[in-house]
């Protein structure tokens, strides 16, 4: 099925962040993901790469989208999937993350997919568990599969990543999606710009080799890709941004601002969207410019690729 | 009188023209046409008697850009019995002030774009001088939640301040300054540690102890100045200390400026002329915020004005009525009116030999225009004809009944001054003539 031979792709048996990936590993994952797009579009979507394997989805933060994407990817590769609801588990009864890890370890899973509000949680679990760990988002640190699926979406649409100008707009400060994307896009040769009010820019952001803009129109000038980030509701009530109406006025993507980007620029969003806050509905729903639905499809494909790559390292 | 004089043309002759913006200080004439300065120069009107226009013989008096007062509290909206924009503008015109910068400490607080619009419309309809509104930095001036600085700026707010309140929470202040920097908005701070000055009526000193009044140490100012300087360094915000009153604060600001930080500061006229002892026998009209300071601090800030370390002089005009001032000292409200004594107070420093007349006028015209990004403060050709004709030497004793503002709570009752405004023009239209 796959065009890429069944040779090892990853040097480690975890995917904790883009930071620990090499360019070759990232490109190999994208290539493999490409092949799984075709498989996902076929009537028989099943493969046996993970036959007999167990994957546990351990989500300490609710995320229907990411969790179901991993579940579908695993099932298409033949794995058994267990979704652990944290609310119903002993974690909410005060168990430490390390205790949870050893409990899970005793169940002998092959792959653990973890989402946690604290940065470094996936790293901690990877040191305590015998199985492969995939970081599905830890605090404001990394969300590697999101960055990979974004890169795959861009590459399929524009044929390349190198030399493209990508503008990432919004709450950079709290965003793991932004951090993973900055790393991956820079690795793959894109020019990255960050656009945000100063309250939503992390300290020393310019040290990441990006250009920084507080004026969205200036920042969008010449952009091939406009990547919008979600602004959490609780961050628009005065601590970081005074109101959602002011945010939309200066940082919400509408036709007027989008006109400053390159003609034909693509709009991306990791979801879920706040319509009328960071993006206007007519752009979100315009299939000429918005690739938001495609990102979801690429999400399943790239997660199949990641699972496949990790399985190749298993004995 | 027609809106712009006779056919909108006024010829000023025999004036001492002082334009701090260009350094001009020369005898000559100035021509106003259609509300703008059409010509200026030492030889203007030398050859021919100007015709078809109103001619004003200045008899050697000083013709300068109209004053810009960066710190004016009014009672509109909410306390119109103390002062309206119209009554404040009367006082301003009589004081040679052609632009008043209003503080957002009204009821309701100016923290909404629609309220900025309200102030601008009311001013247009009722005020004789220009009104440039500041908006609040935090909602309701509570020091908790930042305002919509971007939208407020678009609505016409020229700067952002919580008026006479400091933002106590350093995290809030950091984010507010960061956010202001995003829009290159000027933040104007009040420097008093709110916990230290809580309940205090006067500066802590032997004098305060004798009076038995609740007092706060003068360093409450420097503590806040030092903190805000650090936050400016962190955030890159443009920051103006609305009024400082102590040597320690001045030293900190001077050092910060030397480090290249985008910081400026002002001083209130009453802090230049009065010290803590002027509170005398519990004289509530001299209860101001921050309170009057020691003679050493007063002398230091006078020197700060003379050296240029202090950028602007403001009136800190704050109207209060009998209801709020006829009280015991501890219960009385803070504040003194000052629009009509701003120029005489500044001239006092000139007459005492601290600084030249152009230097003093710069702190009242060019410097505030530069800091606030206003077009005024200059006699340049093409500029709006916002002008003041000043008799710098005329002696008078200030009496409360001379004042034009609705509230009469001056801190300078009975004080001897030398020099005042005799005519004031906004857009070439005469808005005040001293009789």
């Amino acid at each position: 099925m796959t065009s890429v031979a069944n040779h090892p792709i990853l040097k480690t048996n975890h995917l904790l962040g883009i930071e620990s990936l090499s360019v070759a590993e990232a490109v190999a994952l994208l290539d493999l993901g490409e092949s799984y797009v075709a498989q996902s579009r076929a009537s028989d979507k099943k493969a046996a790469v993970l036959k007999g394997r167990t994957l546990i989805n351990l989500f300490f933060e609710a995320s229907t989208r990411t969790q179901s994407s991993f579940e579908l990817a695993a099932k298409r590769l033949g794995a058994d999937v267990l979704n652990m609801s944290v609310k119903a588990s002993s974690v909410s009864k005060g168990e430490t993350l390390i205790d949870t890890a050893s409990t899970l370890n005793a169940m002998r899973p092959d792959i653990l997919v973890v989402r946690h509000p604290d940065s470094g949680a996936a790293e901690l679990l990877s040191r305590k568990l015998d199985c492969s760990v995939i970081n599905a988002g830890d605090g404001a640190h990394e969300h590697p599969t999101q960055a990979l699926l974004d890169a795959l979406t861009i590459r399929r649409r524009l044929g390349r990543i190198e030399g493209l100008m990508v503008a990432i707009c919004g709450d950079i400060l709290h965003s793991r999606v932004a951090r993973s994307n900055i790393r991956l896009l820079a690795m793959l040769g894109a020019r990255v710009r960050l656009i945000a009010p100063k309250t939503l820019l992390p300290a020393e952001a310019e040290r990441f080799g990006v250009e920084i803009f507080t004026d969205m129109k200036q920042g969008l000038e010449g952009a091939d890709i406009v990547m919008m980030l979600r602004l959490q509701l609780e961050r628009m009530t005065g601590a970081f941004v005074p109101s959602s109406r002011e945010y939309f006025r200066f940082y919400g993507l509408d036709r007027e601002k989008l006109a400053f980007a390159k003609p034909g620029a693509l709009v991306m969003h990791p979801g879920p969207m706040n319509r009328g806050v960071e993006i206007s509905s007519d752009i979100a729903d315009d299939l000429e410019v918005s690739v938001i639905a495609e990102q979801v499809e690429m999400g399943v494909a790239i997660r199949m690729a990641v699972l496949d790559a990790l399985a190749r390292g298993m004995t | 009188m027609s809106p712009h004089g006779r056919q909108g043309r006024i010829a000023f002759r025999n004036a001492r023209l002082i334009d701090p913006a260009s350094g001009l200080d020369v005898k000559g004439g100035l021509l106003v046409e259609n509300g703008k300065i059409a010509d200026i120069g030492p030889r203007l009107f030398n050859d021919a008697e100007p015709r078809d226009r109103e001619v004003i013989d200045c008899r050697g008096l000083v013709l300068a850009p109209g004053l810009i007062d960066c710190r004016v509290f009014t009672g509109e909206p909410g306390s119109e019995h103390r002062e309206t924009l119209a009554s404040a503008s009367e006082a301003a015109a009589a004081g040679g002030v052609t632009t008043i910068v209003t503080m957002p400490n009204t009821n309701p607080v100016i923290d909404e774009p629609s309220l900025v619009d309200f102030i601008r419309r009311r001013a247009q309809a009722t005020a004789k001088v220009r009104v440039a509104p500041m908006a609040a930095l935090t909602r309701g001036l509570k020091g908790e939640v930042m305002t919509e600085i971007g939208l407020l700026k678009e609505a016409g707010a020229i700067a952002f301040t919580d008026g006479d309140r400091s933002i106590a929470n350093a995290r809030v202040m950091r984010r507010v300054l960061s956010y202001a920097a995003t829009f290159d908005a000027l933040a104007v701070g009040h420097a008093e540690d709110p916990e230290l000055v809580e309940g205090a009526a006067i500066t802590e000193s032997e004098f305060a102890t004798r009076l038995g009044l609740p007092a706060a140490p003068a360093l409450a100012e420097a503590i806040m100045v030092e903190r805000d300087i650090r936050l400016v360094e962190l955030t890159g915000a443009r920051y103006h200390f609305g009024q400082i009153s102590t040597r320690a604060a001045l030293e900190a600001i001077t050092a910060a400026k030397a480090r290249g930080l985008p910081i400026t500061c002002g001083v209130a006229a009453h802090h230049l002329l009065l010290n803590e002892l002027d509170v005398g026998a519990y004289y509530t009209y001299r209860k101001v915020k921050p309170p009057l300071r020691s003679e050493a601090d007063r002398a230091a800030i006078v020197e700060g004005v003379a050296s240029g370390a202090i950028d602007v002089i403001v009136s800190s005009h704050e109207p209060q009525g009998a209801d709020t001032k006829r009280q015991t000292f501890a219960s009385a409200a803070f504040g003194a009116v000052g629009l009509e004594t701003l120029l005489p107070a500044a001239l006092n420093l000139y007459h005492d030999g601290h600084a030249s007349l152009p230097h003093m006028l710069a702190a009242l015209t060019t410097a505030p225009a530069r800091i606030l990004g206003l077009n005024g403060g200059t006699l340049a050709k093409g500029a709006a004809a916002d002008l003041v004709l000043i008799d710098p030497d005329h002696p008078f004793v200030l009496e409360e009944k001379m004042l034009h503002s609705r509230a009469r709570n001056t801190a300078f009752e009975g004080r001897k001054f030398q020099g005042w405004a005799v005519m004031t023009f906004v857009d070439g239209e005469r808005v005040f003539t001293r009789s």
Side-chain angles (χ1 to χ4, degrees):
Chain A
M1 176 77 233
T2 62
S3 58
V4 180
N6 195 23
H7 55 67
I9 286 177
L10 297 173
K11 287 191 292 291
T12 66
N13 52 350
H14 307 293
L15 179 64
L16 301 178
I18 298 297
E19 180 130 63
S20 50
L21 284 184
S22 67
V23 177
E25 286 173 317
V27 170
L29 284 173
L30 293 177
D31 291 344
L32 189 53
E34 191 89 46
S35 69
Y36 278 118
V37 176
Q39 182 178 327
S40 291
R41 286 180 181 179
S43 56
D44 180 6
K45 299 174 167 56
K46 278 274 200 181
V49 173
L50 290 185
K51 192 164 185 298
R53 303 284 187 187
T54 305
L55 178 144
I56 298 180
N57 266 330
L58 178 63
F59 276 59
F60 292 86
E61 277 180 350
S63 171
T64 315
R65 180 180 306 243
T66 307
Q67 184 174 325
S68 48
S69 181
F70 269 108
E71 181 174 355
L72 202 52
K75 283 179 171 168
R76 281 182 184 168
L77 294 179
D80 295 313
V81 177
L82 175 69
N83 288 317
M84 291 246 328
S85 167
V86 168
K87 277 230 169 87
S89 81
S90 47
V91 174
S92 58
K93 295 169 195 159
E95 189 179 78
T96 68
L97 189 57
I98 306 246
D99 292 339
T100 307
S102 43
T103 306
L104 290 174
N105 208 33
M107 297 178 190
R108 303 211 161 270
D110 300 286
I111 298 172
L112 178 77
V113 177
V114 64
R115 156 77 57 97
H116 199 281
D118 291 346
S119 303
E123 162 82 31
L124 178 63
L125 287 172
S126 75
R127 277 187 267 123
K128 300 293 170 188
L129 268 75
D130 299 324
C131 68
S132 289
V133 174
I134 300 175
N135 182 4
D138 63 327
H141 177 223
E142 283 239 38
H143 190 357
T145 55
Q146 177 72 43
L148 288 164
L149 76 86
D150 286 341
L152 182 57
T153 308
I154 296 170
R155 210 177 71 167
R156 282 174 58 88
R157 274 295 187 119
L158 300 181
R160 68 197 165 99
I161 288 174
E162 191 169 0
L164 294 180
M165 169 99 76
V166 183
I168 306 178
C169 318
D171 185 359
I172 315 284
L173 179 64
H174 301 98
S175 177
R176 52 193 171 221
V177 173
R179 281 171 179 74
S180 287
N181 261 312
I182 291 166
R183 290 178 173 118
L184 184 60
L185 290 166
M187 249 165 75
L188 300 175
R191 288 175 61 194
V192 179
R193 290 176 166 184
L194 306 182
I195 304 170
K198 286 192 166 193
T199 41
L200 293 177
L201 282 167
E204 312 279 329
E206 61 280 1
R207 310 270 297 187
F208 285 72
V210 295
E211 284 181 278
I212 292 180
F213 293 84
T214 53
D215 183 307
M216 189 160 177
K217 290 172 182 170
Q218 283 174 20
L220 288 182
E221 201 139 2
D224 298 284
I225 302 285
V226 183
M227 201 177 266
M228 301 305 299
L229 297 174
R230 175 181 169 78
L231 181 63
Q232 307 267 5
L233 272 165
E234 63 270 22
R235 302 200 169 117
M236 302 178 237
T237 54
F240 296 92
V241 169
S243 66
S244 56
R245 74 173 176 181
E246 169 138 330
Y247 188 78
F248 185 71
R249 168 73 184 75
F250 295 100
Y251 296 99
L253 188 66
D254 55 15
R255 293 281 173 195
E256 192 204 338
K257 299 194 193 84
L258 185 58
F260 284 79
K262 204 175 261 182
L266 300 178
V267 174
M268 306 178 79
H269 193 298
M273 286 179 281
N274 291 306
R275 291 168 185 262
V277 176
E278 70 253 357
I279 191 164
S280 70
S281 275
D282 68 315
I283 289 180
D285 298 337
D286 181 350
L287 296 178
E288 291 291 309
V289 295
S290 164
V291 293
I292 295 168
E294 206 170 315
Q295 285 173 273
V296 177
E297 185 188 358
M298 293 309 122
V300 178
I302 207 72
R303 283 164 186 134
M304 290 170 80
V306 168
L307 295 174
D308 180 352
L310 289 173
R312 293 178 192 195
M314 291 173 192
T315 49
Chain B
M1 193 175 128
S2 71
H4 297 302
R6 200 169 298 157
Q7 289 90 45
R9 306 172 101 186
I10 310 173
F12 293 90
R13 304 182 63 201
N14 301 324
R16 178 181 169 191
L17 303 164
I18 297 182
D19 182 12
S22 64
L24 181 83
D25 182 359
V26 67
K27 288 218 173 359
L30 184 146
L31 176 66
V32 171
E33 280 182 355
N34 301 318
K36 302 215 180 311
I37 296 171
D39 206 354
I40 177 172
R43 277 174 293 280
L44 202 58
F45 315 129
N46 272 8
D47 304 332
E49 181 71 15
R51 288 186 299 167
D52 303 331
R53 67 200 68 176
E54 185 184 355
V55 179
I56 295 174
D57 186 345
C58 301
R59 300 167 199 273
L61 298 184
V62 171
L63 189 62
L67 275 46
I68 298 168
D69 188 342
C70 295
R71 194 173 173 85
V72 176
F73 295 86
T74 79
E76 188 168 356
S79 300
E80 286 84 353
H81 63 289
R82 280 183 207 142
E83 192 90 287
T84 58
L85 290 165
S87 69
S89 80
E90 293 279 350
V97 175
T98 53
T99 300
I100 58 175
V101 178
T102 54
M103 306 302 277
N105 307 50
T106 48
N107 183 17
V109 168
I110 309 303
D111 60 4
E112 270 278 321
S114 59
L115 291 167
V116 173
D117 194 53
F118 167 79
I119 296 283
R120 295 181 70 204
R121 283 167 195 270
R122 281 295 287 171
Q124 219 145 35
T126 66
K128 286 181 153 184
V129 302
R130 294 181 199 282
V131 173
M134 287 198 203
L137 268 175
T138 65
R139 282 186 197 264
L141 309 172
K142 289 189 178 134
E144 292 162 2
V145 174
M146 66 173 72
T147 54
E148 295 166 312
I149 289 174
L151 295 173
L152 288 163
K153 194 176 175 195
E154 283 191 340
I158 59 151
F160 297 83
T161 184
D162 276 3
D164 59 0
R165 300 194 194 181
S166 293
I167 294 173
N169 185 319
R171 185 187 59 207
V172 171
M173 189 62 168
R174 180 246 175 120
R175 291 202 184 128
V176 165
L177 289 180
S178 251
Y179 197 71
T182 303
F183 295 93
D184 194 31
L186 177 71
V188 177
H190 178 78
E192 275 190 301
D193 183 292
E195 303 295 330
L196 262 180
V197 304
E198 171 88 51
I202 192 173
T203 304
E204 205 168 272
S205 70
E206 178 197 336
F207 180 66
T209 301
R210 287 178 193 280
L211 292 183
L213 285 172
L219 57 77
E221 180 170 279
I223 286 175
M224 223 49 177
V225 166
E226 301 265 14
R227 183 201 74 172
D228 286 353
I229 287 170
R230 298 295 167 189
L231 292 176
V232 166
E233 199 162 16
L234 180 69
T235 59
R238 287 197 296 129
Y239 193 98
H240 176 73
F241 289 100
Q243 46 170 9
I244 60 160
S245 58
T246 61
R247 175 194 292 275
L250 178 58
E251 284 172 356
I253 290 166
T254 306
K257 284 181 170 183
R259 296 214 309 278
L261 296 178
I263 287 174
T264 51
C265 69
V267 61
H270 45 250
H271 286 119
L272 290 171
L273 266 53
L274 304 173
N275 68 27
E276 54 173 350
L277 301 181
D278 288 304
V279 164
Y282 305 96
Y283 186 36
T284 59
Y285 281 14
R286 291 182 183 156
K287 181 177 178 182
V288 290
K289 190 173 171 69
L292 296 175
R293 303 301 194 187
S294 70
E295 177 56 18
D297 274 333
R298 189 198 68 82
I301 57 168
V302 166
E303 176 49 37
V305 170
S307 71
I310 293 175
D311 301 270
V312 303
I313 307 173
V314 299
S315 70
S316 248
H317 182 86
E318 191 164 358
Q320 296 290 351
D323 53 329
T324 47
K325 280 294 191 183
R326 279 190 197 160
Q327 301 266 4
T328 60
F329 196 89
S331 313
F334 291 98
V337 292
L339 275 164
E340 292 166 78
T341 44
L342 175 62
L343 177 60
L347 291 172
N348 197 314
L349 265 61
Y350 152 66
H351 287 299
D352 286 351
H354 293 290
S356 69
L357 193 47
H359 181 88
M360 294 310 300
L361 289 175
L364 297 166
T365 57
T366 315
R370 171 177 46 84
I371 291 164
L372 294 165
L374 295 169
N375 287 323
T378 171
L379 294 184
K381 265 187 223 179
D386 291 0
L387 304 167
V388 58
L389 188 64
I390 301 168
D391 181 342
D393 298 314
H394 182 87
F396 70 99
V397 176
L398 186 93
E399 291 173 59
E400 151 183 331
K401 64 173 192 283
M402 297 160 62
L403 298 177
H404 294 72
S405 69
R406 188 165 287 180
R408 304 287 173 87
N409 54 308
T410 173
F412 295 123
E413 174 72 17
R415 187 173 179 102
K416 290 172 187 157
F417 285 107
Q418 203 180 340
W420 59 11
V422 294
M423 279 187 204
T424 307
F425 300 81
V426 174
D427 278 333
E429 185 181 353
R430 197 191 300 205
V431 293
F432 173 74
T433 307
R434 193 165 298 280
S435 47

